[in-house]
């Protein structure tokens, strides 16, 4: 954004404050929320061109609609969400301060789904249903189905592409989901009771002696847990399962990579409004240099993708599974005047090879997905392939091309 445009932006912001001060009640509050969203995006969004949007024009076009919004639902669903939907980037999100209640007959356009997201169902819903439905491009893909689960009994199988037909609570305990299969247009109905979630971390030893670690978020507790497991009982070979990992704190991503890679290894490049920085691994009290495989898939996002990209580039691990979410921007969440929450991506990421993962995803070394046949046999093809490859590796530090 050049200095003239920036001056225009500042003038609009000042003008908005003066106009809002002349109003009272709901209109003033709506404009305060809209202006706070607009200014925060203008200041923090990582791309100074604002995705080639004419950002001052967006202010002029949409601000009157914000003033006219009669309810919280109208403000968020008819104004704020459509404005932010113009950014073709992950990690752009806005949430009202409370659950939006719609009046009878109220309809709205469904907000944009995040790549790799299970937004259709809550995690507890998915556990009860026994299936993982992941948003890929413009449709939900059935990524996994548990044998004998309500989803399996209803006819859902890995690899199917489905859209939402209906979703309802039958009573306090039971729910019903109707999906329409593409391209057959067959309606699939499943009823279930939500179940408790599986633990966020899992350690086990496979039958062939291979160690297996799964964790779903990059936070201090999870990386402490990984480091402790590696230090106290170091396996001769290890599978790191990132298929459910949604990312987290970048410092914890660097800390894990410092365990798995030599000191000074390239983590990738981070680009913000302020400039460019390059990530490197640091000395670590815990290290692991034995054969390593990584499982990844459509839900692997953000820090999970950075980890996989760095390990792949260094030929430190072999990657098994499916392409990742392509949602790898650094973000920050801000409070709006009504206590709603706005998430803004402030940093772009490029892999050590110079590849931009956002919107593209990272491809595995070995593409292998669950199938109807694997669901029927109750096996995990990616886990099996990774275990078989690791069993052929004889020494520490074997590269992914071995």
């Amino acid at each position: 954004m050049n200095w003239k445009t920036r001056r225009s932006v500042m003038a609009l912001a000042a003008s908005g404050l003066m106009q809002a001060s002349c109003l009272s009640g709901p209109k003033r509050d709506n404009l305060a929320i809209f202006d706070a969203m607009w200014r925060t995006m203008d200041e923090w969004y990582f791309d100074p061109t604002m995705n080639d949007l004419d950002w001052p024009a967006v202010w002029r076009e949409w601000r009157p609609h914000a003033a006219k919004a009669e309810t919280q639902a109208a403000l968020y669903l008819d104004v704020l969400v459509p404005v932010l939907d113009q950014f073709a980037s992950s990690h752009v999100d806005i949430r009202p301060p409370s659950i939006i209640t719609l009046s009878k007959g109220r309809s709205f356009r469904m907000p944009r789904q995040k790549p790799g997201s299970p937004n259709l169902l809550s995690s507890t819903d998915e556990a009860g249903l026994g299936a993982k439905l992941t948003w890929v491009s413009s449709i939900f893909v059935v990524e996994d189905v548990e044998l004998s689960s309500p989803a399996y009994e209803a006819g859902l199988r890995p690899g199917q592409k489905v859209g939402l037909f209906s979703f309802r609570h039958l009573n306090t305990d039971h729910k019903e989901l109707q999906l329409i299969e593409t391209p057959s247009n067959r309606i699939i109905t499943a009823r279930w009771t939500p179940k408790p979630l599986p633990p966020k971390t899992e350690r086990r030893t496979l039958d062939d002696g291979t160690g297996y670690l799964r964790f779903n978020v990059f936070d201090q507790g999870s990386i402490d847990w990984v480091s402790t497991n590696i230090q106290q009982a170091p396996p001769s070979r290890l599978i790191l399962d990132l298929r459910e990992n949604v990312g987290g704190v970048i410092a914890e991503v660097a800390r894990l990579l410092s365990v798995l890679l030599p000191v000074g290894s390239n983590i990738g490049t981070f680009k913000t409004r302020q400039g460019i920085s390059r990530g490197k691994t640091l000395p670590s009290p815990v290290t692991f240099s034995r054969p390593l495989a990584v499982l990844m898939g459509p839900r692997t996002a953000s820090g999970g993708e950075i980890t996989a990209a760095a390990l792949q580039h260094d030929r430190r691990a072999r990657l098994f599974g499916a392409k990742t979410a392509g949602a790898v921007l650094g973000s920050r969440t801000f409070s709006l005047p009504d206590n709603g929450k706005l998430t803004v991506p402030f940093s772009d990421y490029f892999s050590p090879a110079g590849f931009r993962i956002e919107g593209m995803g990272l491809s595995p070394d070995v593409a292998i997905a669950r199938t109807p046949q694997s669901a029927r046999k109750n096996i995990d093809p990616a886990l099996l392939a990774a275990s078989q490859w690791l069993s052929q590796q004889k020494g520490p530090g074997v590269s992914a091309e071995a």
Side-chain angles (χ1 to χ4, degrees), residues 168-176 192-193:
R168 61 178 178 153
H169 295 259
L170 298 177
N171 50 49
T172 55
D173 296 321
H174 296 86
K175 298 184 179 183
E176 180 183 86
W192 80 98
T193 300

Side-chain angles (χ1 to χ4, degrees), residues 17-39:
L17 289 173
M18 288 189 293
Q19 292 176 24
S21 66
C22 299
L23 300 174
S24 60
K27 285 188 177 181
R28 179 190 59 202
D29 295 340
N30 285 356
L31 291 180
I33 295 165
F34 179 87
D35 289 344
M37 177 276 294
W38 186 85
R39 288 195 306 269

